[in-house]
Structure formats: C-alpha cells, structure tokens
Amino acid sequence: MSDEDDLEDFEPDQDDFEKEEDEKETEEGEDYRKEGEEFPEEWLPTPLTEDMMKEGLSLLCKTGSGLAHAYVKLEVKERDLTDIYLLRSYIHLRYVDVSENHLTDLSPLNYLTHLLWLKADGNQLRSAQLNALPYLQIASFAYNQITDTEGISHPRLETLNLKGNKIHMVTGLDPQKLISLHTVELRGNQLESTLGINLPKLKNLYLEIKNAGLQT
C-alpha cells in the first residue's frame, strides 16, 4: 500500500491528536498568552537539530511501496525553536507539533506533502500561509500574532484553529478551495465583521464578539 493510499483512508483520531483542542480548553487559564503580556521581538537563534528530531520522532509506518518505513509523527514543543529548516528533509511526516516555540516562519512545512495534522500554537507567527498541502485535515495556529487569514487553501482541511490572534477581517478563505472545512475557531481575535466566512461545508463557527456593532 502506498503513502497516498494510507492518506486517502485517514480519519482524524480525536483521542490521540486533538485532546488539547477540544472545547474544554476554552478556559482562560489555559491560554498561551495572557492579555497585555509582552514578548521580546528577538530571541537567541535556536534551530531544530538532528538530536531534537531523534527525541521527538515516533510512530513508525510504511512508506512508498510498503517496503520501507519512516517515523511519521514529530513533537518538538517548548524547545525555544526559532528555525525548523531541518524539516524540509523529513518528507514523510504526517503529524507535526511545533507548539510553544518562537517560530516566525513555517515555510519548511511546504515540503511535507504527506502532512495530515499540524499544531503550531503559541509561537510568533504573523501568518498561517502555506502552500496548499493535499492531505492536511487539521491545522491549529492558536495564540500567535496572525493578522489575516490569507494563504489557507488546503483542499482537505476540515478543522482550522486561529484562536487568540490579531485578526480583524476574514479574507482569502476561498469556498472553491476549502471544500472540506467544517470547523473554524476564531475566538480571541479582534474581528470587526463576519464577512468573508462563506464556506460550503461549515458546521461549527466559534466567534467571540466583543464589538456590539459587529457587521455580518
């Protein structure tokens, strides 16, 4: 069985991969950033290393024709990372958690075309933009510095978490590309309008309305 066959049949596992994202995590005490908390603009450069990869890799699975194997899950949380360039070489990764670091750039993930699940909460990201990843189904960018929703066009994306960012307007969520997106979390932003949220499969939309004059 090929990688593509495995990915076609993938069903997101709530127990293993979304425990930290269920609705019980909405309590204020769980937030990565407290209101008014400031962070320095620069951090000491801390790139992802081979040793960190060895510690964080797990879940050995078949790849390609089924004759080879590779680790497909990576967790490198709370490592003060500023650079994940090394991930460009780990093309078989399917589940990646880089939460609670100091990342400003996720572009190395563009090479992970088998990626199914991504968690990048609690970093310094200003954008969630990535190339369209053909199998990505769950993506979380909560508690960053993201200001817009441009560049999110993954055709199989089902769940998108942008909680606790700095988004004023929802733009770029193309209903012709995001044909599977059914759950969007936007609480804790600075939304001025719900315009731009027009998704064909949308079932769950979470908004925290602070402005009584919010336009819809």
Side-chain angles (χ1 to χ4, degrees), residues 155-172:
R156 299 190 183 210
L157 188 65
E158 297 180 357
T159 300
L160 174 64
N161 187 350
L162 290 165
K163 181 179 180 179
N165 279 284
K166 297 182 177 181
I167 300 168
H168 290 271
M169 295 288 293
V170 176
T171 59

Side-chain angles (χ1 to χ4, degrees), residues 7 9-18 95 116-117 135-138 156 158-159 182:
L7 298 174
D9 296 335
F10 171 72
E11 292 292 338
D13 189 325
Q14 292 284 117
D15 291 334
D16 290 341
F17 300 111
E18 286 197 288
Y95 313 100
L116 298 168
W117 183 92
Y135 299 108
L136 185 64
Q137 296 182 27
I138 298 172
R156 299 190 183 210
E158 297 180 357
T159 300
H182 60 67

